[in-house]
Amino acid sequence: MKNYKFVGGIHPPANKLSAKLPIEKAPLPKKVILPLAQHIGAPNEAIVAKGEEVIIGQVIGQNKKAFVSALVHASISGKVIDVAPYPHPLGLKIPAIVIEASDEQPDAGYKQEKTNILSEDPAHVQGLIYAAGLVGLGGATFPTHVKLSPPENKPIDTLIINGAECEPYLTADHRIMLEYPNQLIKGIQALMHILGIKQAIIGIEYNKPDAIEVLSHAVKNTSGIQVAGLKVKYPQGSEKHLIKALLNREVPLPPGLPMDVGVVVQNIGTIYAVYEALYWGKPLIERVVTVTGSGIKTPKNLLVRIGTPIADIIEYCGGLTDDAAKIILGGPMMGMAQYTTEVPVIKGTSGILVQTESEVPASAYHDCIRCGKCVSICPMCLLPNLLGIYAEKQMFAEAEAAGVLNCLECGCCVYVCPANRPMIQMIKHAKASIMAKRRKAKAA
Amino acid sequence: MIEAILTIGGIGLISSLGLGIAAKKFAVEIDPKIEAVDNALPGVNCGACGFAGCHGFAEAVVAGLAEVNGCLAGGESVACKVAALMGVEAGAVDKMIARLMCQGGINKTKLKYQYMGINDCQAANLLAGGNKACAFGCLGLGSCAWVCPVEAIKISDDGLALVDEGLCIGCGKCVDICPKNVIKLAPHNQAVTVLCNSVDKGALVRKQCQIGCIGCMKCKKVCPEDAVSINSFLAHIDPDKCSSCGACVKNCPTKCIRSI
């Protein structure tokens, strides 16, 4: 399939250390911490109390009023030992349910694979997706059932499956594509059934030729699903850029969404979770996490229960090396650095990356030298240099006028900046201040 | 030659006539009182009065929309001058000054992580609430110093925003920008203050900081004026009741109560 061009982008070293390692099941955690907000949208309320016994797959967090929200399920059987704020990968302490594992650990879901999903009523199947608490597992954690219910005036014609995995280091999606191709096809067919569409495209970067081959083989006897190779370029896996590259359609600026151009994009991990939810009745209680980086002794692709503290996972992977300096949840470009290993793996945790001292950039940053590198590579055609300076000088109205809210926070500008300027922090600061001002104006 | 002189001279004459007529016809009358009040004000345009700069405040005073003692920066002397111009009594002026309710510098408070970002407290606060172990303490990156119109705030070597109380005009800009709400406005004559902002439990405060309020109630017990109250593990001194006797300062086990 032809690839269309998108402006900007960079070519960071791929560093896919764990690409050849099969997905391994991590040992069951003794304790899980399940934050009540693991998705974009309204946070959940705990519907179990301290001291209660819960079984695996039981709904423990729910928001009955909000549509844009996703259920939280118990990822192990055991006893609720605390409902209180705990450190969350995004930084602040957020209310969470802590479960201590009991001795007996049954499996979640059906005993046998279901067969008749494609003959059931689409609305019913969509209900199953909501009940499984599915969110986008690429990292943005947008509730899946919301993406699958476009308003009537926005007809969908194409489902794009995002197998780009353009973040360096991460290999979780790559491994799923290699190991579960037929299951992915079933998941894709189910989503096409829900959306009532005939076309699906799986986009995979050319640096994963084995995955392209395996999936091309798997789609042979299906209709409407095709596999497309994608140029190797970061941020190829951004939904907007993926749609541009495959269909040459441009998603309007925020609040524009892919559905405005007739497209729904789902990540490979999400598709696999859809398959498990529909065919095996398994809610989102585990996910594949890439544990990687030169600061970890043995990199692995692990199937981990949601809520497992990352300290347990690091220990299972042989621990940290002596010069380990920085732990990042997610990839190196968009992930969040952590200050404690008590934080749990949540639905959006695609990787645990440990960098060593020599890999962490020096602390000093300098004034902008106006070289224009960031401008030439910004995939949203913004002026990151200017946005950064505006944020530094607290000129948020000017930053808004210059389009700061359209920024993807992909990190290309920081990657190329010769003055080491932390543009993404500045831009996030500007965004947060603009949003705070809006909230204040709304409340007044 | 003569034509040129006549043309240019003529244009000059007509324009000046037009300007003269316009100046008379469209003249805006300025109340000399506004100008007099404006001249009496400090002129730093800090905005603490709630109006757009000193001129805005002067207009409001003359129009009767603001009190004559509304200029926080000017304090009593300015209030008296303005009152004299307006022909009224000045009334009492409570001069307020900004005070940092934290003594947990980097030598006293533990750090969660090494911060390598921009020098802006609000931006740092987005990263897990800043790098101080205490969630309520001064981040010391100087957003307050940056907005201070009179340069009364300096960041100490210890990473604390120190307010020069002699320079502070009490405009409250630092209070607004501080993401931790750790700078507060206090009456300038309040000598004894609890310099801590943490509402964590005592045991947690002990773990995080050597000089935080642990809510032990000792100050409340020794206070002869009953001026101390403890709310969520943090002592508070009522400036109206406090007689500055210093009993609480002597008895505070963590030295977070200070006499200034």
Side-chain angles (χ1 to χ4, degrees), chain A residues 92-93, chain B residues 99-105 109-110 112 121 125 128-140 159-160 178-184 194-202 204-205 208-209 212-213 231-234:
Chain A
L92 297 176
K93 285 187 175 176
Chain B
R99 202 164 264 179
L100 180 71
M101 300 300 195
C102 177
Q103 300 183 88
T109 305
K110 286 190 186 138
K112 279 194 287 203
C121 300
N125 193 38
N131 65 345
K132 286 248 167 96
C134 170
F136 309 94
C138 174
L139 295 175
L160 288 177
C178 179
K180 296 290 188 188
N181 291 323
V182 63
I183 298 193
K184 298 214 161 89
V194 184
L195 294 181
C196 180
N197 191 38
S198 169
V199 293
D200 276 334
K201 284 184 183 167
L204 191 54
V205 174
Q208 292 163 345
C209 178
C213 175
N231 247 334
S232 24
F233 315 103
L234 180 61

Side-chain angles (χ1 to χ4, degrees), chain A residues 361-380:
Chain A
S363 62
Y365 73 93
H366 309 281
D367 288 340
C368 173
I369 57 169
R370 264 70 170 186
C371 66
K373 276 189 177 174
C374 55
V375 179
S376 64
I377 55 81
C378 178
M380 291 305 287

Side-chain angles (χ1 to χ4, degrees), chain A residues 6-253:
Chain A
F6 70 82
V7 184
I10 53 169
H11 298 91
N15 283 327
K16 306 269 189 188
L17 310 176
S18 50
K20 297 260 180 293
L21 307 169
I23 298 170
E24 203 178 307
K25 224 174 169 162
L28 281 184
K30 292 192 185 71
K31 179 182 98 171
V32 289
I33 303 162
L34 295 158
L36 287 163
Q38 301 185 32
H39 54 266
I40 291 183
N44 291 314
E45 280 160 29
I47 55 170
V48 291
K50 198 172 163 178
E52 235 172 278
E53 293 282 338
V54 292
I55 51 167
I56 189 164
Q58 182 183 336
V59 178
I60 55 173
Q62 191 177 14
N63 188 324
K64 287 191 181 124
K65 284 174 220 145
F67 176 64
V68 185
S69 175
L71 302 178
V72 175
H73 300 79
S75 57
I76 51 173
S77 296
K79 194 173 163 188
V80 177
I81 55 169
D82 203 3
V83 181
Y86 274 80
H88 186 279
L90 289 180
L92 297 176
K93 285 187 175 176
I94 281 173
I97 297 170
V98 186
I99 304 171
E100 196 179 46
S102 57
D103 298 335
E104 222 168 289
Q105 289 294 338
D107 283 334
Y110 316 136
K111 293 262 176 312
Q112 250 184 339
E113 189 177 15
K114 257 193 169 179
T115 48
N116 55 348
I117 290 295
L118 295 183
S119 56
E120 279 181 37
D121 175 36
H124 172 69
V125 183
Q126 192 175 353
L128 295 176
I129 286 183
Y130 170 75
L134 293 184
V135 300
L137 296 186
T141 64
F142 194 76
T144 306
H145 69 276
V146 181
K147 270 193 185 177
L148 297 177
S149 15
E152 269 175 32
N153 58 354
K154 288 176 186 167
I156 302 293
D157 57 39
T158 310
L159 170 70
I160 291 182
I161 294 90
N162 186 352
E165 202 161 52
C166 58
E167 272 268 2
Y169 288 98
L170 302 186
T171 55
D173 287 350
H174 186 184
R175 289 314 304 183
I176 295 175
M177 288 191 278
L178 289 180
E179 294 176 34
Y180 305 107
N182 297 322
Q183 288 87 334
L184 286 177
I185 302 302
K186 281 184 180 170
I188 294 166
Q189 282 168 333
L191 290 189
M192 289 165 78
H193 177 60
I194 293 173
L195 291 164
I197 55 171
K198 302 239 154 6
Q199 180 175 231
I201 308 169
I202 309 173
I204 306 170
E205 274 192 351
Y206 281 121
N207 61 3
K208 296 181 261 294
D210 44 356
I212 295 179
E213 200 190 308
V214 168
L215 279 171
S216 303
H217 184 74
V219 298
K220 257 184 195 149
N221 298 324
T222 61
S223 69
I225 309 178
Q226 33 177 335
V227 176
L230 293 166
K231 260 190 214 154
V232 182
K233 184 170 167 185
Y234 180 87
Q236 184 64 266
S238 143
E239 11 188 56
K240 286 174 188 155
H241 298 91
L242 195 60
I243 295 169
K244 170 75 181 156
L246 290 174
L247 299 170
N248 201 21
R249 299 184 194 167
E250 278 184 32
V251 180
L253 292 176

